[in-house]
Amino acid sequence: MLGVGAYRTRNLPTGSELLPLPIGEMTWTLTDHLGRSVRPKDWAGRPTIVFFGFTWCPDVCPTTLSDISLWLEELGADADRMIVALISVDPERDTPDVLADYVSNFDPRIMGLTGSADEVAQAAADFRATYRRVDKDAGDYTMDHTAGVFLFHPDGRFASIIDFHEDRRFAVPKIRRTLS
Amino acid sequence: MKHFLLAAALGLSAPAAMACETVTIGDLTIEHAWSKATLGAARPGVFYVEITNTGSTDDALVGISSPAAGMPMLHETVVQDGIASMPHAMSIPVPAGQGVQLSPGGYHGMLMGLTTALKEGDSFPVTLSFEKAGEVTVNVDVLSLRAEGPDCADAGQ
Ligand SMILES: [Cu+2]
């Protein structure tokens, strides 16, 4: 049976009225799948797509990455200047090497980001994302996490969310609105 | 060595067109069985399939088993208040005159305890247990991690 772990990320009030901070006001530091340190200021001036996930998950995460890959292909070269990042909510298992292996299966414009438990918690707080560990038998665990895809304008302002079960036809127009 | 034995047991060299096969048991039609490649054998695999019930009696998928996985389970991806979770599904309804899809973002088989990594192009058997119709085995095609479903002429209606 499922045991429920404590929420890691939130000292924040829960509720959908909380929007992600503008990227320029975020304070996280993470490590990308090539082992390089990444900070919010590195994304200045670039339209941005961010979502949270973990490589242990065979359903939601590869599905989201497949969808995003299709959107990026549809946008073609227009999406080349975008930042597209998967932030792992399972840094214990998602090392940069694991993320490198994982993202190599999808559009090459997608980067993986991970960090220490505290670094990931800070990133989730900045994006107002939630995740929690759900323990299962024999030390195994899975993660519940925010499933939406966050979109930001080039100036770092939050633009919109593509919800997981939202009609995917609306996704590309939403992304396009961040490109101009 | 171990790999060879598993490869033989799982029929890993079979051609990748089995997802387009249709298997029937009683009033149930089972088709489009597929899975995604995994990074290694530690991470769970996934199992998707389409079940149609042409009869007049409701049925339910109550379990799956496979030589490819020591601990297969039925799960349902649920997104509530924007948070995705994957609770265990004790039983998946297969309503009369309709059916059910195990598909990305919804019901799925979760193949924990994989005996070997799943590679694109492999295939392996999964036995489905239905409350009324009994057991039936289908061959599952392993597609890429990026795949969104098998490419069958009749898929997607
Ligand atoms: Cu699952």
Side-chain angles (χ1 to χ4, degrees):
Chain A
M1 285 295 90
L2 301 184
V4 174
Y7 274 84
R8 287 199 65 95
T9 59
R10 286 204 179 244
N11 302 317
L12 302 160
T14 49
S16 52
E17 76 283 2
L18 271 178
L19 300 177
L21 293 175
I23 290 175
E25 291 174 26
M26 294 183 177
T27 60
W28 49 263
T29 303
L30 294 167
T31 303
D32 76 5
H33 61 282
L34 300 173
R36 301 174 300 199
S37 181
V38 178
R39 289 166 186 274
K41 65 173 167 49
D42 299 329
W43 295 356
R46 318 251 315 252
T48 297
I49 299 179
V50 169
F51 66 104
F52 288 80
F54 65 119
T55 72
W56 214 262
C57 135
D59 186 52
V60 171
C61 303
T63 301
T64 302
L65 280 160
S66 301
D67 287 345
I68 291 175
S69 297
L70 287 174
W71 303 336
L72 292 175
E73 280 163 19
E74 192 174 332
L75 291 162
D78 289 350
D80 284 353
R81 64 199 175 88
M82 295 196 85
I83 295 287
V84 188
L86 157 68
I87 300 178
S88 174
V89 294
D90 185 14
E92 189 178 324
R93 295 187 292 205
D94 289 340
T95 61
D97 283 350
V98 166
L99 286 177
D101 220 356
Y102 195 73
V103 297
S104 72
N105 288 280
F106 302 94
D107 189 282
R109 289 169 283 191
I110 301 173
M111 72 170 89
L113 294 173
T114 186
S116 68
D118 286 346
E119 287 170 337
V120 169
Q122 181 61 53
D126 288 346
F127 284 96
R128 311 300 192 221
T130 299
Y131 60 102
R132 67 185 173 124
R133 175 175 164 143
V134 180
D135 286 306
K136 301 190 299 187
D137 300 332
D140 193 13
Y141 65 92
T142 183
M143 304 295 298
D144 291 355
H145 61 89
T146 297
V149 175
F150 298 103
L151 304 181
F152 294 86
H153 295 288
D155 63 5
R157 269 179 309 127
F158 170 68
S160 54
I161 291 181
I162 302 168
D163 287 322
F164 184 70
H165 280 132
E166 179 173 334
D167 189 326
R168 294 331 223 183
R169 279 174 304 176
F170 301 134
V172 169
K174 273 187 172 178
I175 297 170
R176 242 185 243 290
R177 261 174 255 135
T178 69
L179 294 177
S180 47
Chain B
M1 184 82 88
K2 191 177 174 206
H3 183 77
F4 277 114
L5 293 173
L6 287 168
L10 303 180
L12 292 184
S13 58
M18 290 178 166
C20 302
E21 286 180 353
T22 297
V23 176
T24 57
I25 178 168
D27 293 327
L28 304 183
T29 302
I30 294 111
E31 55 195 335
H32 305 145
W34 65 287
S35 180
K36 291 177 188 174
T38 60
L39 297 187
R43 284 173 172 66
V46 74
F47 166 67
Y48 299 120
V49 70
E50 201 174 311
I51 303 159
T52 311
N53 183 350
T54 56
S56 51
T57 314
D58 292 341
D59 206 332
L61 177 63
V62 293
I64 52 172
S65 63
S66 174
M71 201 168 76
M73 286 176 85
L74 298 173
H75 278 184
E76 182 180 14
T77 292
V78 176
V79 180
Q80 200 165 15
D81 298 329
I83 313 285
S85 61
M86 293 196 297
H88 178 201
M90 293 300 290
S91 146
I92 298 176
V94 186
Q98 303 174 48
V100 70
Q101 282 199 18
L102 279 62
S103 61
Y107 286 118
H108 56 275
M110 188 90 164
L111 306 175
M112 285 168 303
L114 287 179
T115 47
T116 184
L118 302 179
K119 294 203 176 58
E120 185 177 355
D122 290 351
S123 74
F124 61 89
V126 165
T127 300
L128 299 96
S129 303
F130 292 99
E131 198 173 69
K132 302 204 175 88
E135 293 193 345
V136 64
T137 300
V138 295
N139 283 302
V140 182
D141 279 343
V142 181
L143 308 181
S144 78
L145 188 54
R146 222 198 116 160
E148 303 212 326
D151 208 2
C152 302
D154 60 344
Q157 277 80 52

